[in-house]
Amino acid sequence: MPSIVIVGMQWGDEAKGKVVDYVSQNADVVVRYNGGNNAGHTVVIDGEVYKFHTLPVGALNPGVTSVIADGVVIDPAVLVKELDGLKARNRNAVDLKISGNAHIIMPYHKLLDQLEEQRKADRKIGTTGRGIGPCYEDKISRIGIRVCELIDQDQFSSRLSENLKIKNEILTKIYGASPLSEAEIFAEYQAYAEKIAPYVCNTSALLYKAVKHNKRIIFEGAHGTLLDIDHGTYPYVTSSHTVAGGACIGTGIGPTEINRVIGVAKSYTTRVGEGWFPTELQDETGDYIRERGREYGTTTGRPRRCGWFDAVAVRFSARVNGAQAIALIALDVLAGLDKVRICSAYRIDEKIIVDFPTDPTQLKECLPVYDELPGWKEDISGIKNYEDLPANTKDYIKHVSEIVGVPVAMVSVGRGREQTIVIRPELLEP
Ligand code: IMP
């Protein structure tokens, strides 16, 4: 039962897609278990850039079964566009399975997400505006519409009618917006239903069978640990379980079937949207990192906030995920800096804090305490072996491993599939 969970250790955008793509080259099944098209994964294969929001990244590898599991929320318009896009690029061999239990993002979810952000004004979360929160709200309120209902015309018609009555009341009376048309939504969603129906099945049973047949399964986490609804920097979080445990919740696979957890962290930190960020750099070093790292959102195009590597946060992530290995991404971006810094603790007044506080009132007062290391000037993007990295780069990697308490098993020195250096291959295996 070789199952691996790949999980982001920061605030998302850790380039998990690249790690998933790497470990899933000999995988049998790749699974998305949480979130929706608020996620954005970029993979570069043979110089071609692929961006996914709903499909699992591993979908591109031939012979792989891709699963969109129960815990995901699906915008069918986006999913259909991604499938059509792959076909147009002659990559149509996607063996896709979609859980009938996954919830559907409806037009009113997207609208309510945006209207609610406007209403909150300076207290806004900075959501992606994709309707993720409102869709999960309906799921928890037990009024959501699931894939199995979408593909059954009668059920969809009655569920839509029932929901839209309430949503139109909210849209018009609370937000002063125009009501949505039931007939238009019905027609639009029936077209998606036809395209999606052939892929729908009981994915939990399928995964269980795969586990029992000793298939190699990769669970790809979306977003990052610090955006988890329970363990993240609430309320500036997303609405799903982004931690490794979410792989069980979102798929119906038991915890004892998971063999390995690989945490993915960038060599620095980024964040999009609002919320605390103790190591944020609002200066030219932050700009340097943003430009070199092309730190603009895959989903929204927003410039990402950039800062130094925060080992307090990543240590916390290592704990809540049970991470056994770290994939350290985008090391090449830090090249050219005289000094590089790693935040080893926080300080509030004279008090030193080593455990990451998720209590917002504490986090906003935390000042970073840094370890400063010499930087490296060399372009490392063409280096293939760990031994050939500059001594200062190796020291940086070693420092991250020691201070987080989890070994760095792999580093990435560029966006290409081949720009990956594996240091401890055994730690990337189940
Ligand atoms: P939502 O997921 O669209 O509701 O947004 C909630 C928060 O999570 C916002 O701060 C978003 O910017 C952030 N967020 C959601 N998905 C991602 C992601 O994949 N990468 C980085 N931030 C994300």
Side-chain angles (χ1 to χ4, degrees):
M1 42 172 192
S3 307
I4 307 177
V5 178
I6 312 282
V7 66
M9 300 180 99
Q10 295 156 322
W11 279 288
D13 308 315
E14 297 92 350
K16 293 171 291 293
K18 189 176 170 183
V19 182
V20 170
D21 180 60
Y22 182 84
V23 296
S24 64
Q25 284 182 60
N26 55 351
D28 298 296
V29 188
V30 290
V31 190
R32 262 205 68 178
Y33 59 81
N34 72 302
N37 58 308
N38 47 348
H41 287 159
T42 307
V43 193
V44 183
I45 301 175
D46 301 330
E48 271 213 64
V49 180
Y50 294 87
K51 291 187 181 192
F52 293 131
H53 298 285
T54 303
L55 280 175
V57 170
L60 284 185
N61 294 319
V64 165
T65 298
S66 305
V67 175
I68 299 177
D70 315 47
V72 176
V73 289
I74 301 174
D75 184 332
V78 174
L79 175 61
V80 165
K81 197 165 156 215
E82 280 178 25
L83 287 169
D84 289 349
L86 282 183
K87 269 189 203 143
R89 293 168 87 174
N90 293 326
R91 285 209 178 250
N92 49 359
V94 189
D95 177 21
L96 177 65
K97 310 287 176 199
I98 301 173
S99 168
N101 286 343
H103 280 246
I104 293 292
I105 298 173
M106 301 296 294
Y108 45 79
H109 291 140
K110 293 181 251 191
L111 201 52
L112 287 167
D113 191 357
Q114 290 154 23
L115 290 167
E116 183 56 14
E117 282 283 272
Q118 278 166 27
R119 190 193 65 80
K120 283 190 177 133
D122 59 357
R123 290 187 305 104
K124 72 176 193 288
I125 309 270
T127 72
T128 58
R130 302 295 191 263
I132 308 298
C135 183
Y136 277 114
E137 271 176 44
D138 280 3
K139 169 177 173 167
I140 301 301
S141 303
R142 288 145 297 172
I143 58 167
I145 302 182
R146 294 180 298 162
V147 169
C148 57
E149 289 153 338
L150 171 75
I151 61 173
D152 177 318
Q153 215 179 52
D154 293 339
Q155 277 204 63
F156 183 67
S157 167
S158 76
R159 300 302 321 285
L160 172 64
S161 174
E162 203 179 303
N163 272 288
L164 199 59
K165 267 192 203 90
I166 308 165
K167 301 298 178 189
N168 273 342
E169 290 278 302
I170 298 172
L171 283 171
T172 53
K173 296 194 176 142
I174 310 250
Y175 295 100
S178 307
L180 296 175
S181 151
E182 188 177 328
E184 276 174 29
I185 299 177
F186 183 78
E188 183 189 344
Y189 274 61
Q190 277 311 290
Y192 302 140
E194 259 174 51
K195 289 206 169 179
I196 287 174
Y199 302 109
V200 180
C201 70
N202 178 344
T203 54
S204 164
L206 178 137
L207 287 171
Y208 184 74
K209 210 161 142 195
V211 165
K212 292 301 155 201
H213 283 88
N214 234 22
K215 299 286 185 201
R216 185 177 166 95
I217 306 174
I218 312 295
F219 294 92
E220 17 176 297
H223 326 298
T225 301
L226 306 176
L227 290 172
D228 185 273
I229 184 71
D230 288 316
H231 305 289
T233 50
Y234 193 90
Y236 299 104
V237 293
T238 191
S239 307
S240 66
H241 301 286
T242 62
V243 293
C248 296
I249 296 171
T251 61
I253 286 294
T256 48
E257 312 290 4
I258 306 285
N259 313 104
R260 182 134 307 256
V261 177
I262 303 172
V264 186
K266 268 186 198 156
S267 312
Y268 44 92
T269 312
T270 62
R271 174 157 212 183
V272 265
E274 309 301 314
W276 311 278
F277 182 173
T279 63
E280 183 169 12
L281 290 166
Q282 287 172 317
D283 60 10
E284 54 198 36
T285 307
D287 295 342
Y288 181 84
I289 292 174
R290 182 176 311 103
E291 292 316 311
R292 278 186 61 87
R294 287 184 258 172
E295 293 296 354
Y296 294 88
T298 312
T299 302
T300 58
R302 289 182 286 182
R304 296 179 184 141
R305 300 155 64 193
C306 298
W308 294 119
F309 186 86
D310 186 341
V312 184
V314 175
R315 214 161 36 222
F316 162 80
S317 293
R319 169 164 69 78
V320 294
N321 290 304
Q324 295 149 309
I326 296 178
L328 193 63
I329 304 298
L331 259 181
D332 55 306
V333 172
L334 294 182
L337 294 166
D338 289 331
K339 305 267 183 214
V340 282
R341 291 173 150 195
I342 293 177
C343 169
S344 54
Y346 299 145
R347 188 168 55 77
I348 300 181
D349 300 324
E350 293 314 306
K351 200 169 155 219
I352 296 295
I353 294 170
V354 291
D355 288 323
F356 187 70
T358 47
D359 171 2
T361 51
Q362 266 206 6
L363 198 58
K364 72 177 170 206
E365 286 162 27
C366 286
L367 295 173
V369 176
Y370 286 119
D371 296 347
E372 193 167 79
L373 287 83
W376 55 93
K377 295 284 175 201
E378 300 89 333
D379 173 11
I380 59 171
S381 61
I383 293 180
K384 304 268 181 257
N385 300 306
Y386 177 70
E387 291 69 35
D388 299 332
L389 286 169
N392 289 352
T393 319
K394 284 192 269 196
D395 281 348
Y396 188 82
I397 298 169
K398 203 162 150 254
H399 204 81
V400 168
S401 293
E402 284 171 1
I403 202 161
V404 175
V406 177
V408 172
M410 156 182 188
V411 298
S412 152
V413 293
R415 299 203 320 155
R417 195 182 238 184
E418 66 296 343
Q419 290 170 298
T420 305
I421 302 174
V422 176
I423 306 170
R424 302 270 309 268
E426 74 285 4
L427 295 181
L428 300 172
E429 287 303 315

